[in-house]
Amino acid sequence: MKAERIDKILSICMGLARSEVKKLIREGCVTFEGKTISDGSFKIPYGCPDIEVSGSPLDLKEHVYIMLNKPPGVICASDGKGEKTVIDILPEGYKRRSLFPAGRLDKDTEGFCLITDDGIFAHKILSPKSHVPKTYLAHLEKPIDIEEAAALFAKGLYLGGEQLLPAALRLVSGGDKPLCEIVLNEGKYHQVKLMFSQLGNTVLELKRTHIGRLKLDETLASGECRYLTDEELLLITKR
Ligand code: URA
């Protein structure tokens, strides 16, 4: 089997400069089959899955797809201009050049944030034409007439003079501060908050739970992430 230098594999897979790879190796962050690698010229059979960087498995694929359970307080961007971003909070082993969040969640929104370096896939899941719904849980400030609200959402509200696509709404739990599930077929700025605001209500907390048919992994604590499997990736775009 063809073997390749570990520093070259890391450089390609993580999109890092040789100097950055050298630093990782020097700091003892790189292991192969559980043993720390101290020499960048060490050769490894190509495609071998047993490389870890800072305890996280190295993804040898051309593109990566990461499910992050976004905590509130970090912004959904690659460059936070001084503010902490979803890219900043990824563990070292996951970081590679060109990663960006596919779609924006507000700073205070939590839940399923998909991070990738695959621009074509990101475009596909964000374009309303691709019909990839996004599902949210919203805690509201006040009780809601769910039948009336669901009918308005299903018809499609007007927001800033623009006709929205139909959205689904259901009550998860009622009471003074109800919890609702909303399924959107597009992603306008602050859309969920503005939709409820139009009904005279306020979203106190918002969490994204699904992208397409893929549900946020509930075993991921807030701020944790993992790579998607190939099957999970397909669930995102499956109709
Ligand atoms: N709608 C919002 O209002 N905020 C989000 O973060 C996502 C959808």
Side-chain angles (χ1 to χ4, degrees):
M1 193 189 289
K2 196 172 166 246
E4 192 57 88
R5 287 173 61 118
I6 180 104
D7 52 4
K8 189 165 175 200
I9 295 176
L10 290 171
S11 170
I12 292 169
C13 294
M14 298 180 75
L16 297 178
R18 282 285 173 102
S19 59
E20 293 170 300
V21 171
K22 259 192 188 156
K23 186 166 175 273
L24 281 175
I25 294 176
R26 205 173 45 240
E27 289 172 353
C29 301
V30 181
T31 62
F32 174 59
E33 292 181 335
K35 294 197 189 81
T36 304
I37 299 292
S38 54
D39 179 2
S41 67
F42 182 81
K43 287 199 167 174
I44 289 182
Y46 208 83
C48 190
D50 260 345
I51 306 167
E52 288 194 356
V53 180
S54 305
S56 307
L58 180 70
D59 199 305
L60 296 165
K61 295 184 187 133
E62 186 190 356
H63 291 299
V64 292
Y65 307 91
I66 300 165
M67 175 192 279
L68 169 74
N69 185 0
K70 177 191 174 298
V74 295
I75 62 167
C76 235
S78 314
D79 178 6
K81 300 188 172 70
E83 290 203 72
K84 200 176 262 188
T85 71
V86 288
I87 307 297
D88 294 331
I89 65 167
L90 293 178
E92 271 319 304
Y94 282 78
K95 288 188 183 160
R96 50 150 88 187
R97 267 210 198 106
S98 318
L99 284 180
F100 62 92
R104 295 250 164 143
L105 293 176
D106 297 336
K107 187 173 174 182
D108 58 353
T109 300
E110 5 178 5
F112 191 170
C113 173
L114 179 70
I115 296 173
T116 184
D117 54 357
D118 184 345
I120 293 175
F121 184 77
H123 176 73
K124 192 168 165 192
I125 68 167
L126 295 175
S127 161
K129 285 191 195 129
S130 302
H131 303 285
V132 176
K134 320 285 181 317
T135 307
Y136 297 86
L137 281 176
H139 245 127
L140 303 181
E141 188 188 39
K142 292 189 275 190
I144 183 170
D145 180 338
I146 197 70
E147 273 173 29
E148 186 189 27
L152 289 168
F153 278 22
K155 209 167 131 220
L157 293 180
Y158 270 100
L159 212 59
E162 209 184 327
Q163 169 78 62
L164 295 183
L165 291 174
L169 175 67
R170 75 177 180 92
L171 194 64
V172 177
S173 61
D176 284 352
K177 299 206 186 307
L179 181 67
C180 294
E181 185 186 76
I182 308 100
V183 184
L184 297 185
N185 293 297
E186 63 202 326
K188 311 264 182 223
Y189 191 56
H190 295 328
Q191 187 169 342
V192 174
K193 290 173 188 163
L194 292 173
M195 285 168 78
F196 282 106
S197 149
Q198 209 175 93
L199 305 185
N201 216 319
T202 303
V203 174
L204 299 176
E205 282 171 9
L206 188 61
K207 178 174 186 167
R208 181 153 70 192
T209 59
H210 295 71
I211 300 180
R213 292 187 185 205
L214 182 61
K215 185 170 189 268
L216 175 68
D217 179 346
E218 280 168 2
T219 67
L220 289 177
S222 181
E224 284 184 350
C225 69
R226 68 165 173 79
Y227 291 113
L228 294 186
T229 63
D230 293 345
E231 293 73 32
E232 287 176 327
L233 200 57
L234 286 176
L235 274 182
I236 291 184
T237 48
K238 191 171 174 189
R239 293 274 183 107

